[in-house]
Amino acid sequence: MALTVRIHETGGPEVLKLEDMPIQPPGVNEVLIRQRAIGVNYIDIYHRTGLYKLLGYPVGLGMEAAGIVEAAGGNVTHLQPGDRVAYCGGPVGAYAEYRTLPARYVIPLPASVTDEVAAGGLLKGLTAYYLLHLSFQVHPGDTVLIHAAAGGVGLLACQLARHLGATVIGTVSTPEKAALARENGCEYPLIYTQEDWVEKVKEITQGKGVDVVYDSVGKTTFMPSLDCLKRFGMMVSFGQSSGSVPPFDPTILSQKGSLYLTRPTLMHHIEDYDHYAAYAAALFDLIARRILTIRIGGLYHLGEVKQAHIDLESRKTTGALILQA
Ligand SMILES: NC(=O)c1ccc[n+]([C@@H]2O[C@H](COP(=O)([O-])OP(=O)(O)OC[C@H]3O[C@@H](n4cnc5c(N)ncnc54)[C@H](OP(=O)(O)O)[C@@H]3O)[C@@H](O)[C@H]2O)c1
């Protein structure tokens, strides 16, 4: 039996239930993982609240974890028992001591990457990676605006943008988060609770606007962000921590400077295993070379999952949150 977090209905953190569930032996193309560190991501909150629909209640939660392969089913060639591994994506259900899932989501871990770093950095790091290389390729001299700059994805996006030679402007809620964002490559952390960040962006860019906005906050930041972009700038909307972006007339994109808009998801970028493995290898290399540092902002036992969700939702956290199995 394995301790597993499941929800029987959507709702607040109280719907998260810790239950003893049978361990599923791996079928063909599957592996069984003894999990050691589990990543908590904002998407887990969307799943819990029902903003993103899940099928077949009761259902597990969680999209990423690291651990050791306990058993491999038929046809699995790239993994064997004893391998250290991590995964993100695939079916939900990472909040558990043991996990059986399709092997195509599972990546072997190099010795240089600890379980905590993998569970805190794979999903968020791959997200930062595709956002800055594929959604919009950041070049030296670009100016980028990153919302929630001290968050899990935000800190990594700041580090990577700086590494790519960009000037980084970020938004954060508190002076403590501003200091952390600055340490992670954000030259201009703007405290949106204290200052008019749109005006500040115009001032910093001398009225030109930024090349790209990476917006994971959604409802409260989407529209004002369009006013921060230069002509032909790129709006990358990749989340909605403050709520969904309200419907709008696309003509507004032309009025504000023939802007581009994309709304990408990591899952499409890692659908192909070869791409997934290549991006993960690039990410692990950036970590090994200390270009990217995964900041663990909070460690919780699996049984403390409710607290982890409360903390993440209430904007108390910085960096990545980990559940220890
Ligand atoms: N599309 C994709 O492929 C993809 C992949 C991964 C993550 N994401 C998205 O990226 C975002 C960041 O994920 P994460 O796990 O790294 O979380 P996170 O950024 O660590 O946490 C969310 C942060 O958003 C900010 N925020 C602003 N308004 C908020 C509000 N009303 N309620 C809650 N938070 C608010 C807070 O920072 P301040 O206190 O500084 O305001 C908070 O700390 C999420 O929206 C997630 O869905 C998208």
Side-chain angles (χ1 to χ4, degrees):
M1 302 291 278
L3 285 176
T4 303
V5 175
R6 298 199 304 168
I7 59 171
H8 294 244
E9 57 186 333
T10 58
E14 70 284 352
V15 301
L16 297 161
K17 305 288 179 208
L18 191 62
E19 299 175 342
D20 230 0
M21 298 294 296
I23 295 170
Q24 299 293 332
V28 173
N29 297 323
E30 289 185 334
V31 287
L32 168 65
I33 300 172
R34 177 158 51 87
Q35 306 206 121
R36 303 208 286 202
I38 300 155
V40 179
N41 290 286
Y42 220 91
I43 191 173
D44 306 342
I45 290 172
Y46 305 148
H47 285 144
R48 195 202 71 219
T49 60
L51 180 69
Y52 289 180
K53 306 269 176 278
L54 295 175
L55 298 174
Y57 290 84
V59 66
L61 279 193
M63 301 292 292
E64 80 176 325
I68 293 179
V69 175
E70 192 85 355
N75 282 357
V76 177
T77 52
H78 71 294
L79 301 168
Q80 52 190 13
D83 285 352
R84 291 184 61 241
V85 293
Y87 64 87
C88 65
V92 292
Y95 291 3
E97 287 177 325
Y98 283 83
R99 179 82 200 282
T100 302
L101 83 166
R104 65 158 304 311
Y105 295 105
V106 183
I107 302 270
L109 276 183
S112 55
V113 177
T114 65
D115 296 331
E116 280 75 19
V117 164
L122 188 61
L123 193 150
K124 296 169 188 73
L126 291 180
T127 299
Y129 187 85
Y130 89 73
L131 288 173
L132 277 78
H133 286 291
L134 301 170
S135 300
F136 178 91
Q137 173 65 61
V138 173
H139 289 107
D142 286 346
T143 303
V144 309
L145 172 61
I146 299 172
H147 290 302
V153 176
L155 283 180
L156 295 175
C158 287
Q159 292 174 32
L160 192 53
R162 186 77 203 104
H163 171 68
L164 294 171
T167 298
V168 184
I169 306 173
T171 65
V172 294
S173 59
T174 66
E176 293 74 23
K177 288 190 176 189
L180 184 62
R182 195 188 294 279
E183 278 168 32
N184 283 266
C186 177
E187 195 175 338
Y188 299 101
L190 307 179
I191 306 171
Y192 65 84
T193 49
Q194 297 179 1
E195 54 196 333
D196 180 338
W197 55 271
V198 177
E199 282 309 310
K200 282 300 255 189
V201 170
K202 285 183 187 155
E203 204 179 288
I204 294 162
T205 60
Q206 290 157 351
K208 289 195 202 101
V210 298
D211 295 271
V212 56
V213 178
Y214 292 106
D215 180 16
S216 66
V217 173
K219 189 173 178 179
T220 56
T221 47
F222 183 88
M223 280 301 170
S225 291
L226 300 183
D227 291 325
C228 294
L229 281 161
K230 64 161 62 160
R231 198 177 302 159
F232 308 122
M234 171 64 91
M235 177 70 188
V236 184
S237 167
F238 70 102
Q240 54 276 311
S241 310
S242 69
S244 299
V245 175
F248 68 97
D249 178 352
T251 312
I252 204 161
L253 298 175
S254 94
Q255 289 164 351
K256 291 194 183 280
S258 298
L259 304 177
Y260 292 88
L261 166 66
T262 182
R263 201 324 182 172
T265 169
L266 172 65
M267 301 315 150
H268 291 147
H269 292 81
I270 59 173
E271 237 165 52
D272 176 277
Y273 186 82
D274 290 341
H275 288 155
Y276 179 28
Y279 302 151
L283 174 68
F284 295 151
D285 177 60
L286 288 165
I287 293 171
R289 290 192 286 140
R290 297 176 191 276
I291 290 164
L292 284 189
T293 302
I294 312 296
R295 176 185 160 86
I296 308 299
L299 281 171
Y300 304 77
H301 293 296
L302 191 56
E304 297 173 315
V305 62
K306 283 183 201 168
Q307 194 57 49
H309 272 223
I310 291 167
D311 291 348
L312 183 58
E313 251 179 317
S314 61
R315 308 182 215 187
K316 275 193 195 149
T317 63
T318 54
L321 304 189
I322 301 288
L323 301 174
Q324 290 169 313

